[in-house]
Amino acid sequence: MAGHSKFKNIMHRKGAQDKKRSSMFSKLSREITVAAKMGLPDPDMNPRLRLAVNAAKAQSMPKDNIQRAIDKASKGEGENYEEVRYEGYGPGGVAIIVEALTDNRNRTATNVRTAFSKNGGNLGASGAVSHGFDRMGLITYPAGAGDADAIFEAALEAGAEDVSSNEDEHEIWTAMDALHEVAKALESNLGPADGAKLAWKPQTSVDVDESNAATLMKLVDTLEDDDDVQTVWGNYDVSDEVMEKLG
């Protein structure tokens, strides 16, 4: 289990997806509102908003919820969120990047710092670990979108830089400034993606043994459970055998 997928990386236990659905909708709504406030409240004219809406649809978020989030922005309602990034180390020396949308930096910083300190980690300064990651675009499709060869060809034709496929999904990596363009090209060929956003791709991975894996998963879960946290990225790699032992 590699640590660079937004929602997949925490759904490692049976039933976790249903448990987190409500929290997921809240995070998706926040991203939609922020995207709509930063540009036009029209997905066709606002690339970031279009990606946010598509991601919400992929998670079966009701249309009413999506429209409500857009309306909040167009009416100037709701909180003003700012994007914040935290960097630190988890158990076993794993590098972790936390991205948040918050209306209270002090609250979010305290929660993130507490999560790290209580779960075998340390919060570092800005830039502490991001030098070990590449800032890229990440587009995800379910495994059922096509076989690995077909997805690879479609991605290559659309201008992607790398593709990784497993039994759950296809991950399509793009240059940072090509994300919207590649996502649009793929949508016309493969349909809407499960997700498309800027991501942190680790340059190297850290194999996590059984002694550290449980604590690491608890840290990731705790961070993801925070309402302000949008995404948790890491350079960890946990083997299937270790994940099975964790249950």
Side-chain angles (χ1 to χ4, degrees), residues 82-173:
E82 60 177 317
E83 296 174 296
V84 191
R85 186 175 84 235
Y86 303 95
E87 303 180 27
Y89 290 96
V94 167
I96 294 176
I97 296 176
V98 181
E99 293 179 313
L101 288 175
T102 180
D103 59 348
N104 186 323
R105 288 178 71 115
N106 290 336
R107 177 192 66 223
T108 307
T110 298
N111 290 349
V112 170
R113 187 177 294 109
T114 300
F116 271 91
S117 63
K118 285 188 174 181
N119 294 287
N122 293 288
L123 188 62
S126 178
V129 304
S130 56
H131 57 82
F133 293 73
D134 293 320
R135 190 61 163 158
M136 300 184 72
L138 174 61
I139 304 164
T140 55
Y141 275 91
D147 62 39
D149 288 341
I151 297 296
F152 182 82
E153 284 185 24
L156 202 64
E157 190 176 321
E161 295 200 352
D162 192 20
V163 182
S164 172
S165 299
N166 57 45
E167 61 182 17
D168 296 318
E169 66 178 358
H170 304 283
E171 293 182 339
I172 300 165
W173 294 91

Side-chain angles (χ1 to χ4, degrees), residues 10-97:
I10 55 170
M11 294 174 183
H12 49 83
R13 296 183 183 87
K14 188 172 175 57
Q17 185 164 3
D18 292 338
K19 178 182 168 188
K20 294 181 181 290
R21 185 164 295 277
S22 174
S23 172
M24 186 193 301
F25 284 174
S26 174
K27 295 173 191 286
L28 289 166
S29 292
R30 189 175 293 197
E31 169 62 20
I32 290 170
T33 299
V34 169
K37 279 188 176 181
M38 291 178 71
L40 294 171
D42 179 357
D44 292 331
M45 304 293 290
N46 182 334
R48 178 170 173 173
L49 178 57
R50 181 173 177 76
L51 294 179
V53 168
N54 284 349
K57 288 179 178 177
Q59 297 299 330
S60 301
M61 186 170 168
K63 287 183 179 179
D64 288 349
N65 294 36
I66 294 173
Q67 191 57 51
R68 199 176 304 126
I70 295 174
D71 290 343
K72 265 188 181 180
S74 58
K75 295 175 183 175
E77 297 175 354
E79 298 81 358
N80 286 316
Y81 298 110
E82 60 177 317
E83 296 174 296
V84 191
R85 186 175 84 235
Y86 303 95
E87 303 180 27
Y89 290 96
V94 167
I96 294 176
I97 296 176

Side-chain angles (χ1 to χ4, degrees), residues 9 33 59 89 93 113 117 122 126 128 136 154 182 191 217-218 221 233 236 238 241:
N9 65 357
T33 299
Q59 297 299 330
Y89 290 96
R113 187 177 294 109
S117 63
N122 293 288
S126 178
M136 300 184 72
V182 175
M217 291 300 101
K218 190 178 177 188
D221 279 345
W233 308 95
Y236 57 87
V238 184
E241 291 77 14

